[in-house]
Amino acid sequence: MTILTIKTVPFADQKPGTSGLRKRVSVYSQPNYVENFVQSIFDSLEGFDGKTLVIGGDGRYYNDVAIQKAIRIAAANGFGKVLVGQNGLLSTPAASHVIRHHKAFGGLVLSASHNPGGPEGDFGIKYNIGNGGPAPERITDAVFARTKQIDSYKTNDAPDVALDQIGLHRSGGMVVEVIDPVADYAALMQTLFDFPAIRALFASGFTMTFDAMHAVTGPYAHAILEGLLGAPKGTVINGTPSPDFGNGHPDPNLVYCKDMYDLLMTPEGPDFGAASDGDGDRNLIIGKNRFVTPSDSLALLAANAHLAPGYKAGIAGIARSMPTSAAADRVAEKLGIEMHETPTGWKFFGNLLDAGRVTICGEESAGTGSNHVREKDGLWAVLLWLNILAVRKQGVDEIVREHWAIYGRNYYTRHDYEEVDAAVAGKLVDELRAQLPSLPGKTFGDDLQIAYADDFTYHDPVDGSTSAKQGIRIGFTDGSRIVLRLSGTGTVGATLRLYLERYEAAGGRHDLETQLALEPLIALADELAGIKQRTGRLEPSVIT
Ligand code: G16
């Protein structure tokens, strides 16, 4: 086996976004594209000689090719060992756990999350550090800087590793251990949740549908829900991962899980419906006749976490991304614990979790998780919901209504305008930003008075770092908010995200249809930002 140093030239577009580098497969499959990015990651790290690297992906198209490349580059750069999931599979939260559990130096997560897969779809690579979480900005910035300079990468001429064979292999001088992708993760879940109580819930006739969306959570859900927890066979649907996700869009929201949602709204439907995305970190929760928004789910899970054994001593604090509704803030206030508002991107929760300042984190983008790993975790959220349902012996709808009766309701929606011309979107944001200083004090309609208008800057209380321009916030005196930002995960043009929120206190009307309840804010957002006129779009592409 020989270590080879191959000459290369930089690509100009390897800037990591909200969560790693996501591009079309056609971009990733250019000669040296993967090699340049992986080598740039390793060039930005220090002290990994002889250490362990975890590699796993969501099984999407190109995973198998990219993993073999990454293994060779890791071997040639001096890693001592690679831990890789069988067939290259590891859900993102499982990869985070494997990094932590095996005290690895870090990991490569190969996924474009909820984006479609297949030859025409997307691919992605993300580096996670030794705490199991996505690399912080100082590392992703260094990686980007390196991608602009790189002139060679190291690899070897070893044959492909047989990723279907669990056990020890080699790539040159490096050990490659192929592991069961589910075992460590399933063991962790059993330390957090009351499995006997959830088993008893299923044994009592409680019914559930879990849609794995042909993605990575299939094997995990089969093993945990239908295996360890005794849910009837057939509880998990679309449970076999496929490289193009069954030609679907593995995004667990009301658009792509509409069939399940419709079923849950009928008397014949199951008691509980849930789904996860391409790489298993997002979740969708639907009760009978009740969709739970991710923002509400975060608040409810935080308020009820003590019912699960792993959190019975209480939670230290809660963190949410800035565009996520303030529902969780009210829970933190009642519990007398810390509450943090961070920029979009799970990487911003890492410091707070490591410092023990927060236990539960969540985002409006269907992500919730805790200090058990350093990623959001779809199945974890589903299991915590099941644990709560088993202990409270109530349905989802009843639990949600009781929560609103105590804390009030934050009506919340997100409108996405996808594949907008990037220049148009950039101008829209710039011009809205320029208006911000003039907005406070202005009143719109009968009672929408602007209390503040700014572009969110985050000051990390743990390491003192600052992240500016994280999204435009327009806040009103009644607690309503309009937030607008450009997505950092899209791969074509720009995706404009508009987030709208209105608070209705305890005792108020909690039964309005969400879009109706938010209508005045939706209209005002368009008036201020000129979305329809500038983009030429009359409707958002997706409403969640
Ligand atoms: C990623 C990040 C999340 C973020 C989401 C949406 O999730 O990990 O923190 O909320 O993207 O980001 P954006 O609004 O910039 O598109 P995932 O599930 O795609 O990895």
Side-chain angles (χ1 to χ4, degrees):
M1 199 278 315
T2 318
I3 292 181
L4 309 167
T5 301
I6 311 284
K7 285 206 175 333
T8 188
V9 288
F11 291 91
D13 64 347
Q14 295 196 319
K15 183 173 171 46
T18 307
S19 187
L21 181 70
R22 291 188 191 164
K23 298 282 175 194
R24 286 276 193 253
V25 168
S26 54
V27 174
Y28 256 109
S29 50
Q30 297 172 82
N32 293 347
Y33 198 87
V34 168
E35 288 85 345
N36 274 22
F37 190 62
V38 173
Q39 183 68 55
S40 296
I41 292 172
F42 295 160
D43 286 348
S44 309
L45 306 172
E46 273 172 20
F48 56 74
D49 206 46
K51 302 264 172 69
T52 299
L53 180 76
V54 173
I55 305 182
D58 61 10
R60 69 177 55 227
Y61 185 82
Y62 208 60
N63 238 304
D64 47 354
V65 178
I67 287 185
Q68 298 290 354
K69 289 177 190 253
I71 289 173
R72 288 194 186 92
I73 301 169
N77 277 272
F79 276 95
K81 182 175 183 180
V82 156
L83 280 174
V84 56
Q86 188 178 25
N87 296 319
L89 291 182
L90 274 178
S91 77
T92 292
S96 181
H97 178 54
V98 170
I99 293 170
R100 296 165 66 77
H101 187 63
H102 295 273
K103 302 194 170 30
F105 184 84
L108 293 174
V109 180
L110 277 54
S111 168
S113 187
H114 53 286
N115 296 10
E120 314 297 322
D122 289 345
F123 189 72
I125 299 180
K126 176 171 77 164
Y127 179 69
N128 281 25
I129 58 175
N131 76 352
E137 275 187 333
R138 75 184 144 72
I139 295 182
T140 55
D141 288 348
V143 172
F144 180 46
R146 182 67 193 141
T147 64
K148 293 189 281 191
Q149 306 287 330
I150 188 164
D151 58 8
S152 69
Y153 63 87
K154 286 187 196 154
T155 185
N156 69 27
D157 58 0
D160 279 1
V161 174
L163 294 178
D164 56 338
Q165 309 284 322
I166 286 188
L168 295 178
H169 307 254
R170 296 197 84 81
S171 177
M174 186 183 76
V175 174
V176 179
E177 184 174 356
V178 178
I179 59 170
D180 173 348
V182 178
D184 287 335
Y185 179 83
L188 174 65
M189 292 300 112
Q190 290 173 80
T191 67
L192 299 175
F193 301 117
D194 189 343
F195 271 49
I198 304 174
R199 270 193 88 87
L201 179 71
F202 281 120
S204 74
F206 174 87
T207 52
M208 166 179 185
T209 294
F210 179 86
D211 188 349
M213 306 190 87
H214 305 277
V216 77
T217 42
Y220 296 84
H222 279 303
I224 295 172
L225 297 175
E226 295 178 354
L228 295 168
L229 291 170
K233 293 265 171 289
T235 296
V236 178
I237 60 170
N238 303 321
T240 305
S242 85
D244 68 350
F245 307 116
N247 204 17
H249 194 140
D251 193 354
N253 62 31
L254 297 185
V255 177
Y256 301 112
C257 294
K258 177 144 190 339
D259 291 351
M260 185 169 77
Y261 172 83
D262 288 345
L263 196 61
L264 265 290
M265 298 301 123
T266 65
E268 305 78 47
D271 299 308
F272 186 58
S276 190
D277 69 333
D279 63 329
D281 57 2
R282 296 185 172 206
N283 71 88
L284 171 73
I285 301 294
I286 310 176
K288 207 175 241 328
N289 297 318
R290 171 66 57 200
F291 160 62
V292 188
T293 68
S295 293
D296 273 350
S297 186
L298 169 65
L300 277 144
L301 292 179
N304 291 281
H306 61 281
L307 302 177
Y311 307 94
K312 68 174 185 295
I315 56 175
I318 310 173
R320 64 166 171 82
S321 66
M322 183 275 282
T324 305
S325 97
D329 301 29
R330 301 178 199 286
V331 174
E333 197 182 336
K334 185 141 190 278
L335 293 175
I337 57 176
E338 287 190 31
M339 182 76 221
H340 295 269
E341 186 178 41
T342 60
T344 294
W346 204 262
K347 60 190 170 205
F348 292 102
F349 295 136
N351 280 343
L352 294 166
L353 288 164
D354 284 351
R357 295 183 64 165
V358 303
T359 307
I360 289 193
C361 307
E363 297 187 278
E364 52 66 40
S365 56
T368 355
S370 85
N371 59 355
H372 68 293
V373 288
R374 293 294 181 274
E375 290 277 6
K376 55 191 187 276
D377 188 343
L379 260 179
W380 171 90
V382 174
L383 291 169
L384 181 49
W385 263 103
L386 286 170
N387 194 139
I388 292 165
L389 296 175
V391 174
R392 287 187 54 164
K393 302 192 189 325
Q394 290 171 294
V396 172
D397 185 47
E398 201 181 346
I399 291 175
V400 170
R401 285 172 187 279
E402 280 185 13
H403 186 92
W404 290 339
I406 297 168
Y407 297 94
R409 175 175 182 181
N410 290 69
Y411 285 101
Y412 186 83
T413 191
R414 185 177 98 188
H415 289 192
D416 290 340
Y417 295 82
E418 293 175 340
E419 298 189 20
V420 172
D421 180 86
V424 170
K427 191 153 183 266
L428 184 153
V429 172
D430 286 346
E431 293 188 12
L432 182 59
R433 191 181 286 126
Q435 282 187 57
L436 296 177
S438 68
L439 291 179
K442 282 194 179 157
T443 302
F444 296 87
D446 294 337
D447 50 2
L448 279 172
Q449 191 187 357
I450 296 181
Y452 64 90
D454 62 11
D455 197 346
F456 179 54
T457 297
Y458 179 58
H459 302 280
D460 187 311
V462 180
D463 68 11
S465 62
T466 295
S467 303
K469 292 196 170 175
Q470 296 295 328
I472 290 173
R473 314 187 287 186
I474 302 175
F476 298 83
T477 48
D478 67 352
S480 297
R481 265 192 339 163
I482 294 172
V483 171
L484 193 137
R485 60 180 280 282
L486 298 180
S487 157
T489 56
T491 53
V492 176
T495 296
L496 193 67
R497 299 207 197 284
L498 174 67
Y499 313 81
L500 304 135
E501 172 177 9
R502 175 186 138 194
Y503 180 59
E504 190 72 41
R509 284 204 63 180
H510 295 153
D511 57 352
L512 296 174
E513 197 276 318
T514 302
Q515 301 302 316
L516 216 59
L518 293 166
E519 216 167 32
L521 279 175
I522 296 169
L524 178 55
D526 194 52
E527 185 181 328
L528 293 173
I531 300 171
K532 289 196 178 98
Q533 183 250 321
R534 287 162 183 272
T535 64
R537 305 281 180 86
L538 297 179
E539 299 284 332
S541 336
V542 181
I543 295 181
T544 51

